[in-house]
Amino acid sequence: MLFPFILISALCQIFSSADPLDVVYSPESFDKFRTGETRNLTIQVTSDGTKSGEDHELIVECMHEDICKVIHYPSTINFSPENNHTATFEVVIESRFLGVTHLNVTVGDEVLPGFPLRLLRSDREAKVTKYFNIFLGIFIFIISTMMGTQLEPKRIIGIARKPIGPTIGFFCQFLGMPTIGFLVANFGLPDDANSLKMALFATSTCPGGGKSSFWTIIFSGNLDLSISMTFTQTLAALFMMPLWMSTLGRHFTDAHVRIPFLRIVEGLVAFMVPTTMGMIITHYRPQYIPCIHKWIKRVSWCAMIVLSIFAIYSNYYIFWLITWRIVLCGCALPWLGYITAFIVALLLRQPFKDALTIAIETGIQNIGIAMLLMVWCLPEPESDIAVTIIFVTAIMTDKPLVIIWLISRLYKRCCKRDIVGQEDDDLEKRKIGEIGKREYLRHEALVIETLFFRVDNARHKRYCGQLRPHSVSAGPNAVITIRG
């Protein structure tokens, strides 16, 4: 009869001694613990009295050593009765990289509850990003003004009256791209990467960016159609982005998604104001158009190269977060957009220039809106991690365009060399033919002059009794005088 009571008391002792240590962290969490900083954490461990009177080994370490590192902590602690069986010590933690992790504390053989750590980007990186945004704004203003000088208002009015190209671009941008983005995010990224999935899908719902106009200029596409599509798609994004994020976007997150309407309007104004200024400049100073047309491609190339280098420098931390799946999905979204829009435009019998412009406008997204959306929807550092796939998409968007442009340039250069060589051969043949013709005429003139000289010499001998000296100077333009 006593056995059940003995068993129950033994189990109670086991469970009561299962957690003999209690830990308290001060502060309870770090506020804005940024990369490169060090913080002191006070840890207070209290024992139930069973571990008093001896030193216990202490191990404090970060779960992810590449994110943070514990640079100082005592090797042993003692729960003395004089201190109420409590040991208090300090730990110095160094932040190495952004991310979410926690601090593990082990006393002897017992692992204590961890301390959560949220590590953010450094202030220096934030300042570099700020300078990059200023630099980007200046370049966009200059390029947009130069683009405005190349526009023809009559053609834009014609496109507005018969908006076949913008209509095709609208359906490709806001029907095809979100579908592609949803499928790529859902099946291409890991199941637990909801922030990355939402970032990729948000990118697919954004309108075309100003960079598309740069590539339209480089490929000699329809710039008027490009500007018209950018304007109409940016306006349409004010209601199409909320529609997609409130429907398919719910598949990736339950949080309330705030659409950056103000940012969209600001982007629209920032795009239209310099473009209108360029049109006004050419209206009053049309003599500037040829000069600007000569330099616009060079400035566009320079802007894209400099901005790409600056963007990589200001966001270099992203390369430590990139995986092969992120690269694959970041490439798939814009590249499939190019192919799909180009095929659709050709099937609808659009001219090649218009089809190329529609493809460029569809594949190149306004990533600034997607980045701002992630910053508003997710806290740090989750927002910085989610931006990784947006940054990869931005980097890989124009790489096929660069390759196609280089191939086309090499092809044209090789063809020009062949044409020049053929023209040189034809010119040489013509020269040889002309030389032969001149020699033939000279020979004929020489024969005729010799013949008449002999006749004249015979007459002179008959009447004068001596021969005349023989001097012949024949040529193609020789003038032969017949005497007597």
Side-chain angles (χ1 to χ4, degrees), residues 302-324:
C302 179
M304 281 186 287
I305 293 173
V306 173
L307 291 177
S308 298
I309 296 174
F310 205 166
I312 293 173
Y313 174 74
S314 61
N315 299 278
Y316 72 93
Y317 74 93
I318 288 177
F319 291 96
W320 298 97
L321 302 173
I322 292 176
T323 61
W324 68 269

Side-chain angles (χ1 to χ4, degrees), residues 77-386:
I77 58 174
N78 191 305
F79 302 101
S80 62
E82 292 80 4
N83 295 327
N84 296 324
H85 307 286
T86 300
T88 303
F89 56 93
E90 282 194 354
V91 175
V92 181
I93 307 171
E94 179 186 9
S95 175
R96 290 184 168 184
F97 196 68
L98 64 89
V100 179
T101 184
H102 62 269
L103 195 69
N104 293 328
V105 180
T106 305
V107 179
D109 297 332
E110 186 172 350
V111 179
L112 303 182
F115 178 74
L117 291 172
R118 302 176 64 84
L119 310 177
L120 313 180
R121 297 178 64 187
S122 64
D123 290 331
R124 175 183 172 276
E125 293 172 344
K127 290 181 180 179
V128 171
T129 303
K130 180 180 178 181
Y131 295 147
F132 169 72
N133 293 332
I134 296 173
F135 193 64
L136 177 64
I138 294 173
F139 261 106
I140 290 178
F141 182 84
I142 295 174
I143 298 297
S144 299
T145 304
M146 297 180 72
M147 284 191 302
T149 62
Q150 307 301 307
L151 297 178
E152 298 181 13
K154 293 182 179 179
R155 294 185 62 182
I156 296 177
I157 294 173
I159 293 173
R161 290 177 178 175
K162 195 176 181 181
I164 299 177
T167 303
I168 297 173
F170 173 83
F171 283 101
C172 291
Q173 183 70 63
F174 293 110
L175 183 61
M177 289 299 289
T179 304
I180 294 173
F182 179 81
L183 295 176
V184 171
N186 197 30
F187 297 103
L189 294 173
D191 295 334
D192 57 345
N194 287 328
S195 60
L196 293 176
K197 290 182 178 181
M198 188 177 71
L200 185 63
F201 179 71
T203 304
S204 67
T205 62
C206 292
K211 197 176 179 181
S212 57
S213 300
F214 302 161
W215 281 108
T216 302
I217 294 172
I218 291 172
F219 279 99
S220 300
N222 191 341
L223 183 59
D224 300 295
L225 176 60
S226 176
I227 299 296
S228 302
M229 289 180 62
T230 300
F231 179 77
T232 55
Q233 289 179 8
T234 305
L235 284 178
L238 293 172
F239 60 89
M240 291 303 298
M241 284 189 68
L243 176 64
W244 282 112
M245 295 305 297
S246 60
T247 53
L248 292 183
R250 294 293 183 185
H251 184 74
F252 304 122
T253 180
D254 294 330
H256 175 66
V257 179
R258 295 173 55 194
I259 305 299
F261 294 104
L262 182 61
R263 179 60 181 269
I264 296 175
V265 175
E266 289 177 354
L268 184 63
V269 173
F271 175 74
M272 293 306 300
V273 169
T275 304
T276 306
M277 289 178 58
M279 297 175 67
I280 294 174
I281 291 173
T282 54
H283 178 74
Y284 291 100
R285 293 291 185 271
Q287 63 271 21
Y288 294 161
I289 296 178
C291 180
I292 296 176
H293 180 75
K294 178 182 178 181
W295 283 94
I296 189 169
K297 288 188 178 182
R298 301 175 185 178
V299 175
S300 299
W301 270 114
C302 179
M304 281 186 287
I305 293 173
V306 173
L307 291 177
S308 298
I309 296 174
F310 205 166
I312 293 173
Y313 174 74
S314 61
N315 299 278
Y316 72 93
Y317 74 93
I318 288 177
F319 291 96
W320 298 97
L321 302 173
I322 292 176
T323 61
W324 68 269
R325 284 193 173 187
I326 292 178
V327 174
L328 184 62
C329 294
C331 295
L333 178 64
W335 296 2
L336 290 176
Y338 291 140
I339 297 172
T340 303
F342 187 72
I343 293 175
V344 170
L346 289 181
L347 291 177
L348 295 177
R349 298 183 178 181
Q350 293 299 298
F352 181 81
K353 275 191 174 183
D354 292 358
L356 182 63
T357 303
I358 292 172
I360 293 174
E361 283 287 335
T362 303
I364 298 178
Q365 309 295 116
N366 191 339
I367 62 170
I369 298 176
M371 287 186 175
L372 186 62
L373 192 147
M374 291 299 102
V375 171
W376 282 3
C377 296
L378 300 174
E380 289 186 286
E382 284 85 353
S383 59
D384 294 325
I385 297 173

